[in-house]
Amino acid sequence: MKILVTGGAGYIGSVFTEHLCDHGHNVLVVDNLSEGHQAAVDPRAQLEVVDLNETARLGDLMKAHGSEAVVHFAANALVGESMKNPAKYYGNNVTGGLSLLNAMVTAGVPKIVFSSTCATYGIPDSLPITESTIQRPVNPYGHSKLTFEGMLRWYGEIHGIEPVIFRYFNAAGASPRFGEHHRVETHLIPNILFAAQGRQGEIKIFGDDYDTPDGTAIRDYIHVLDLASAHRIAVETSITGQFNLGTGCGHSVKEVIEACRSVTGREIITETCPRRAGDPPRLVASIDKARSVLGWEPRFTDIAETIKTAWNWHEANPKGYADIIEQLTPDQPSSSKAA
Ligand code: UDP
């Protein structure tokens, strides 16, 4: 199939692009490279550096490519940042998304698979979170994603675009080739691994006074390769609807740190800090719907195995994609991409 992937130079998008190419699909990546890296785009895919707000250019690219589906990863996705700069989140995630939808209408692309988030649920009344749990986001990031979910409903009804909405829990891990490299890293697992590598001092624990067994916040960490397989099922079938993607199992910040200690065998020093604004105490998915409707099953259910794949990638690429760019020879300029 011909699939357009927005944000295909970012963390999850790069692993998904590789996965699609492995399965013989023809992938056009559009990314403005504000967060993504050119070296993160599988050379079998075509990369176009374009911003989501460039509606006409996006529509032209879709038509020229003959895109049969859009998989929409491109977004800002940091809870903490959204609490300081909501305009960035509404601008990129809502206005940028609207532009993408309008380009799809113009080009006649019939299907979208959207990266939504468990942050749309806010602080759930009970766990695990199902797809019918009330969505009451507690930060602008979650609200921006929920807003786009609402837009998808109406673009579906009015323009016939078929949406699949994936509400991710916490993406983690790496493929052997593509991994997590944010220019400013705020996520738990990479920061712990950086501490293990000696690239940063202690790991800050944001709050140990939550109402959880060890007082630290609980999240459901899903491997990026499992996210990738769910998205491929979504594009290859005619299924629509909303699905949680997690493992169904939660781990506290302290448990994740302990797992990183055992995977890396390194000393990891911690410092307890105040809670981070906008953080819910516990987010754990029910994945029954994804299992039964998509026929999907996460392969990585042991947090240590997931962390191990991330550790392997960070050990192989201690400067992330900066290493890969440095390794390119003059015959392989970083600007070259095969179509
Ligand atoms: N966290 C932490 N120290 C860090 C980064 C994150 O204690 O250096 C906590 C954070 O407060 C949250 C959990 O780890 O409870 C997961 O945070 P992350 O930023 O990885 O993902 P989020 O759940 O915000 O999408």
Side-chain angles (χ1 to χ4, degrees):
M1 287 177 70
K2 292 179 178 166
I3 299 161
L4 184 142
V5 177
T6 77
Y11 169 41
I12 306 171
S14 64
V15 174
F16 176 62
T17 295
E18 176 190 38
H19 181 76
L20 279 186
C21 292
D22 287 345
H23 284 79
H25 293 293
N26 172 320
V27 186
L28 169 61
V29 167
V30 298
D31 199 301
N32 68 5
L33 300 182
S34 64
E35 301 287 341
H37 309 266
Q38 197 162 337
V41 178
D42 190 305
R44 292 170 292 179
Q46 177 189 346
L47 169 66
E48 291 290 339
V49 180
V50 51
D51 193 88
L52 286 181
N53 287 311
E54 296 177 67
T55 317
R57 199 167 150 219
L58 280 176
D60 290 345
L61 286 168
M62 289 171 190
K63 281 188 214 155
H65 178 233
S67 308
E68 294 163 81
V70 166
V71 183
H72 179 34
F73 294 99
N76 296 110
L78 301 178
V79 168
E81 183 187 51
S82 81
M83 293 294 283
K84 295 182 183 129
N85 188 0
K88 181 172 177 182
Y89 282 73
Y90 290 109
N92 291 335
N93 298 357
V94 178
T95 312
L98 177 63
S99 166
L100 177 73
L101 285 177
N102 288 333
M104 288 176 66
V105 171
T106 311
V109 181
K111 175 156 195 163
I112 184 166
V113 182
F114 172 53
S115 307
S116 190
T117 167
C118 61
T120 58
Y121 294 112
I123 300 173
D125 294 331
S126 61
L127 292 180
I129 296 170
T130 71
E131 289 78 2
S132 49
T133 296
I134 297 175
Q135 291 175 289
R136 282 181 303 225
V138 292
N139 49 61
Y141 164 55
H143 187 244
S144 69
K145 290 282 187 172
L146 181 60
T147 304
F148 192 71
E149 285 194 13
M151 289 157 53
L152 284 180
R153 179 191 155 198
W154 290 108
Y155 269 68
E157 286 200 15
I158 296 162
H159 293 295
I161 294 176
E162 305 217 319
V164 178
I165 293 169
F166 282 138
R167 297 184 187 136
Y168 308 163
F169 284 64
N170 288 57
S175 79
R177 196 162 163 201
F178 298 106
E180 185 165 14
H181 175 183
H182 297 110
R183 289 180 179 85
V184 178
E185 190 52 82
T186 65
H187 293 103
L188 181 64
I189 291 176
N191 274 333
I192 302 172
L193 298 179
F194 292 167
Q197 286 179 319
R199 292 169 60 187
Q200 71 172 55
E202 68 289 324
I203 178 79
K204 292 183 165 51
I205 296 175
F206 295 137
D208 69 351
D209 56 352
Y210 285 104
D211 181 18
T212 60
D214 67 18
T216 64
I218 292 175
R219 297 287 182 273
D220 182 340
Y221 294 89
I222 176 168
H223 200 285
V224 275
L225 286 168
D226 286 326
L227 288 176
S229 65
H231 287 70
R232 184 173 53 78
I233 294 168
V235 292
E236 288 176 349
T237 64
S238 56
I239 292 164
T240 61
Q242 303 83 14
F243 301 91
N244 288 340
L245 295 179
T247 63
C249 193
H251 294 281
S252 72
V253 171
K254 283 187 178 166
E255 285 171 350
V256 174
I257 293 168
E258 213 37 64
C260 289
R261 286 190 177 116
S262 88
V263 166
T264 64
R266 304 271 177 92
E267 188 185 13
I268 297 166
I269 300 164
T270 62
E271 180 195 351
T272 303
C273 300
R275 294 180 182 193
R276 193 172 65 179
D279 272 349
R282 302 171 190 238
L283 296 169
V284 180
S286 159
I287 54 171
D288 292 348
K289 187 178 175 196
R291 277 195 174 113
S292 61
V293 179
L294 295 175
W296 169 85
E297 186 67 35
R299 285 193 300 126
F300 289 86
T301 51
D302 174 354
I303 184 88
E305 264 187 56
T306 297
I307 291 168
K308 176 82 178 130
T309 64
W311 178 241
N312 290 344
W313 193 81
H314 287 298
E315 284 287 87
N317 307 284
K319 290 192 231 154
Y321 290 108
D323 286 314
I324 292 163
I325 289 164
E326 280 167 18
Q327 285 160 15
L328 290 169
T329 66
D331 293 339
Q332 296 167 287
S334 63
S335 58
S336 77
K337 280 283 168 284

